């Protein structure tokens, strides 16, 4: 098979991988913030529910969660199964939102109490303190760990194949099995390298931009 | 009636009673120094005045107006308005690291006059207010000797310079009484002078100030009145000459002896 033929056959896989990546990010970034608010809630039961949820999601394999989201509704409630790709994306969003929420929480908690108090004695409202004083400092602190998670997400997208979603690795594997050629695997490997490489460069740029001050 | 009257303030954290009935008053333009050993409740008292802590009992009256009474409940908004009578300079500066020196000083006045404004401001009005605020900030920063650092970030300044920015930032909100919590304790010895000098200059412009300090020499020379606190009560109160020259309480005497030892090594 020629390079072009392989590329054409892999096209759907590329698209699926990019879609899982993109939609997960768009969904998990804000959902993570909601989970953070929940897990930092002053109402003990709410906090407890969110913390337990995060603990379960982070303590079990994403692969298991994907399988559960796909088969769970049918087997437990007799509901119609979700489309495969939708199930995958739901599992990814929930999983990554939990990881993001822990990073957000760490970032928020790392801001010294003195920053809040300085804002308070200067007559700022709670909202102003959050948006004008704290938020930027939090962002600066969480960009490096968020970067790591986002790059992990690029590679995690290949887990979608567990419920037979044909993402890039699955697509390549199919060609390898059918045509007995090995190089499509290296081809997709190079794609992942390039993708995560570009992200690294962008994230580094963001980090540098935020580094105009120390602390 | 005195300018500021602090009446019977009690404050406890869980089981520890930190303030056990603090009573004092001060006049306009006066400088009050608060001294006392570690843990005696000095910071807690300042925090109560600035509404960072809420006393369990007691009241605070400023210019005849009752700002705080422990028997009453206040909304966030009321607290915000009331605390603006006081300014607070922290031991650890607490500057906003992401903003320039100038922005550190301008931020709170801008938020108060523009974002919290009751009426809708036109663009031109906003620009005008910003200009006024910035002009005022430049003047204040010049008065603390930082005209050449306006566009620097806090991390680029020495501790003494940072503390002077913090003083300017507090002044920009035009507090009636400016409080300092050990403003030089976090500084290298050679940097304390420049901060104390600024405070002395504020005194000569008749600013009302409450200064918690471990600098006995400074308290003695710069303060009009001195409070010595021990175990959550005011153990001794008087002019510097009375408290330092002729202390009456045993605790004051032993505290002053100890701090003298520390100075002479
Ligand atoms: N938020 C808090 N929770 C519990 N205990 C507190 C709290 N704040 C202060 N304390 C306790 O109250 C006591 C007085 O503290 P405070 O900071 O007012 O003392 P201080 O006179 O300022 O001491 P220093 O000279 O060391 O600054 C201490 O025993 C301290 O441990
Ligand atoms: Mg203290």
């Amino acid at each position: 098979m020629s390079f072009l033929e392989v590329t054409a056959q892999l096209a759907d896989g590329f698209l699926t991988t990019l879609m899982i990546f993109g939609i997960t990010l768009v969904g998990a970034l804000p959902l993570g913030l909601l989970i953070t608010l929940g897990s930092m809630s002053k109402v003990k039961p709410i906090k407890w529910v969110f913390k337990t949820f995060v603990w379960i999601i982070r303590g079990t394999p994403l692969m298991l969660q994907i399988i559960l989201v796909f088969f769970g509704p049918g087997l437990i409630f007799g509901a119609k199964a979700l489309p495969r790709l939708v199930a995958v994306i739901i599992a990814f969003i929930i999983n990554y939102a939990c990881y993001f929420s822990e990073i957000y929480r760490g970032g928020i908690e790392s801001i010294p109490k003195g920053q809040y108090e300085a804002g308070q004695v200067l007559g700022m409202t709670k909202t102003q303190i959050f948006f004008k004083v704290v938020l930027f400092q939090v962002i600066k602190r969480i960009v490096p760990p968020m970067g790591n998670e986002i790059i992990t997400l690029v590679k995690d997208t290949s887990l979608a194949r567990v419920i037979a979603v044909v993402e890039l690795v699955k697509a390549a594997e199919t060609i390898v099995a059918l045509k007995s050629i090995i190089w499509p695997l290296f081809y997709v490997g190079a794609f992942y390298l390039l993708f995560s490489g570009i992200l690294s460069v962008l994230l580094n740029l963001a980090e540098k931009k935020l580094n105009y001050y120390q602390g | 009636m005195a300018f500021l009257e602090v009446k019977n303030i009690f404050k406890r954290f869980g089981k520890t009673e930190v303030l056990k009935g603090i009573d004092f008053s001060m006049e306009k333009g006066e400088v009050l120094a608060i001294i006392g050993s570690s843990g005696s409740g000095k910071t807690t008292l300042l925090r109560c005045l600035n509404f960072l802590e809420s006393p369990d009992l007691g009241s605070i009256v400023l210019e005849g107006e009752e700002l705080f009474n422990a028997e009453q409940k206040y909304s966030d908004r009321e607290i915000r308005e009331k605390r603006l009578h006081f300014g607070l300079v922290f031991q650890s500066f607490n500057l906003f690291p992401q903003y320039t020196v100038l922005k550190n000083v301008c931020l709170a006045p801008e938020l108060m006059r523009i974002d919290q404004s009751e009426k809708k401001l036109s663009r031109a009005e906003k620009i005008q207010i910003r200009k006024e605020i910035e002009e005022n900030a430049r003047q204040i920063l010049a008065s603390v000797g930082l005209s050449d650092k306006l566009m620097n970030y806090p991390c680029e300044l020495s501790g003494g310079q940072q503390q002077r920015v913090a003083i300017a930032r507090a002044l920009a909100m035009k507090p009636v009484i400016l409080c300092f919590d050990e403003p030089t304790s976090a500084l290298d010895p050679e940097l304390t002078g420049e901060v104390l000098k600024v405070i002395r200059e504020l005194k000569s412009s008749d600013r009302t100030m409450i200064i918690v300090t471990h600098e006995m020499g400074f308290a003695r020379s710069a303060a009009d009145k001195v409070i010595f606190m021990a175990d959550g009560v005011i153990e001794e109160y008087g002019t510097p000459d009375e408290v330092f020259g002729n202390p009456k309480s045993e605790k004051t005497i032993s505290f002053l002896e100890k701090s003298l030892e520390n100075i002479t090594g």
Side-chain angles (χ1 to χ4, degrees):
Chain A
M1 266 177 103
S2 76
F3 183 78
L4 274 181
E5 280 169 323
V6 169
T7 307
Q9 286 223 2
L10 288 178
D12 280 351
F14 277 121
L15 211 66
T16 307
T17 291
L18 287 176
M19 232 158 80
I20 298 172
F21 175 82
I23 300 178
T24 299
L25 264 194
V26 170
L29 288 170
L31 182 63
L33 195 58
L34 282 181
I35 297 175
T36 307
L37 293 179
S39 68
M40 290 177 76
S41 166
K42 289 205 180 85
V43 187
K44 285 271 156 64
I46 294 183
K47 177 178 162 145
W48 189 85
V49 166
F50 276 90
K51 287 209 150 188
T52 311
F53 183 71
V54 170
W55 173 67
I56 292 171
I57 297 292
R58 298 210 317 160
T60 56
L62 174 53
M63 194 188 278
L64 188 66
Q65 293 161 16
I66 297 171
I67 297 171
L68 194 71
V69 172
F70 183 60
F71 291 108
L75 293 179
I76 302 170
F77 306 111
K80 211 165 140 264
L82 294 164
R84 290 167 194 274
L85 189 57
V86 174
V88 161
I89 287 174
I90 290 176
F92 266 85
I93 289 180
I94 293 174
N95 182 277
Y96 271 82
C98 285
Y99 277 93
F100 290 163
S101 81
E102 286 293 280
I103 295 176
Y104 294 157
R105 192 169 61 85
I108 291 174
E109 285 173 353
S110 74
I111 304 301
K113 203 167 101 252
Q115 291 290 307
Y116 293 90
E117 293 183 344
Q120 279 174 289
V121 295
L122 291 165
M124 296 182 198
T125 64
K126 286 199 178 107
T127 324
Q128 289 174 338
I129 293 174
F130 183 75
F131 284 105
K132 300 289 180 170
V133 175
V134 175
L135 183 61
F136 189 86
Q137 299 182 48
V138 172
I139 291 174
K140 176 173 157 105
R141 281 175 203 214
I142 66 174
V143 163
M146 288 296 282
N148 286 338
E149 285 302 324
I150 291 171
I151 285 172
T152 306
L153 172 59
V154 174
K155 295 169 287 177
D156 270 359
T157 51
S158 62
L159 287 172
R161 56 171 299 180
V162 70
I163 54 166
V165 168
V166 184
E167 43 65 62
L168 195 49
V169 174
K170 180 78 185 166
E173 191 193 346
T174 312
I175 300 174
V176 169
L178 265 143
K179 310 275 167 169
S180 299
I181 46 172
I182 192 73
W183 65 265
L185 288 184
F186 294 104
Y187 179 18
V188 300
F191 169 79
Y192 282 106
L193 271 181
L194 183 71
F195 192 4
S196 54
I198 292 172
L199 284 173
S200 291
V201 169
L202 291 177
L203 287 160
N204 265 329
L205 266 172
E207 244 178 273
K208 280 233 175 65
K209 263 233 156 13
L210 291 169
N211 253 341
Y212 69 87
Y213 75 91
Q214 281 155 22
Chain B
M1 191 178 39
F3 187 60
L4 171 71
E5 291 177 82
V6 173
K7 296 179 191 165
N8 202 30
I9 298 281
F10 279 79
K11 177 71 191 173
R12 61 159 69 233
F13 294 108
K15 284 215 169 88
T16 32
E17 187 127 72
V18 179
L19 300 178
K20 307 169 189 166
I22 300 288
D23 276 285
F24 71 89
S25 58
M26 69 187 291
E27 295 305 328
K28 198 172 165 75
E30 228 173 46
V31 175
L32 174 68
I34 301 179
I35 59 172
S37 49
S38 187
S40 56
K42 306 179 299 291
T43 297
T44 307
L45 176 58
L46 282 195
R47 290 171 62 84
C48 286
L49 291 178
N50 283 276
F51 298 86
L52 288 175
E53 306 287 355
S54 171
D56 304 320
L57 203 69
S59 64
I60 298 169
V61 180
L62 183 68
E63 297 181 278
E65 178 200 353
E66 187 172 76
L67 283 189
F68 177 85
N69 190 325
E71 268 146 41
Q72 237 153 305
K73 274 250 169 252
Y74 299 99
S75 67
D76 281 3
R77 189 203 176 93
E78 284 172 310
I79 297 275
R80 230 176 28 245
E81 279 161 11
K82 284 158 186 290
R83 66 158 47 110
L84 285 177
H85 295 92
F86 295 88
L88 178 60
V89 174
F90 299 87
Q91 184 174 346
S92 49
F93 329 135
N94 297 341
L95 296 178
F96 307 131
Q98 73 269 40
Y99 294 127
T100 61
V101 165
L102 186 61
K103 183 75 184 178
N104 261 276
V105 178
C106 292
L107 180 65
E110 281 178 5
L111 291 177
M112 186 181 64
R113 290 182 57 192
I114 297 173
D115 296 47
Q116 293 176 29
S117 158
E118 303 271 303
K119 71 175 175 81
K120 190 111 182 63
L121 298 167
S122 71
R123 256 187 85 153
E125 282 172 314
K126 285 184 191 168
I127 291 171
Q128 180 57 30
I129 293 174
R130 283 219 173 79
K131 238 176 86 185
E132 280 168 30
I133 290 172
E134 191 183 312
E135 193 43 47
N136 184 249
R138 282 174 188 276
Q139 271 174 27
I140 297 173
L141 283 163
S143 74
V144 299
L146 288 172
S147 286
D148 55 337
K149 300 287 181 195
L150 298 181
M151 291 304 148
N152 286 84
Y153 289 93
C155 64
E156 298 164 341
L157 305 181
S158 73
Q161 290 168 333
Q162 290 189 48
Q163 191 59 300
R164 284 185 279 148
V165 177
I167 293 172
R169 184 177 69 173
L171 288 172
M173 293 303 285
K174 305 189 166 68
V176 181
I177 298 182
L178 185 54
C179 304
F180 296 81
D181 189 8
E182 301 191 28
T184 58
S185 292
L187 300 178
D188 293 334
E190 69 270 21
L191 298 177
T192 61
E194 64 190 55
V195 172
L196 296 181
K197 179 168 162 268
V198 166
I199 300 176
R200 276 182 213 279
E201 282 162 9
L202 290 172
K203 175 185 162 69
S204 57
S205 60
D206 284 332
R207 196 163 267 285
T208 316
M209 295 187 281
I210 302 177
I211 307 169
V212 170
T213 182
H214 284 300
E215 304 270 342
M216 294 305 145
F218 176 73
R220 184 160 194 171
S221 62
D224 301 302
K225 294 282 164 52
V226 178
I227 282 176
F228 169 69
M229 277 181 72
D231 295 324
V233 297
I234 295 183
E235 187 72 23
E236 189 127 4
Y237 171 81
T239 63
D241 283 343
E242 284 163 359
V243 173
F244 289 104
N246 188 18
K248 294 181 189 66
S249 127
E250 277 304 318
K251 281 185 186 163
T252 319
I253 296 170
S254 92
F255 173 78
L256 290 175
E257 269 168 9
K258 272 209 205 88
S259 46
L260 210 63
E261 271 167 33
N262 287 345
I263 292 168
T264 49

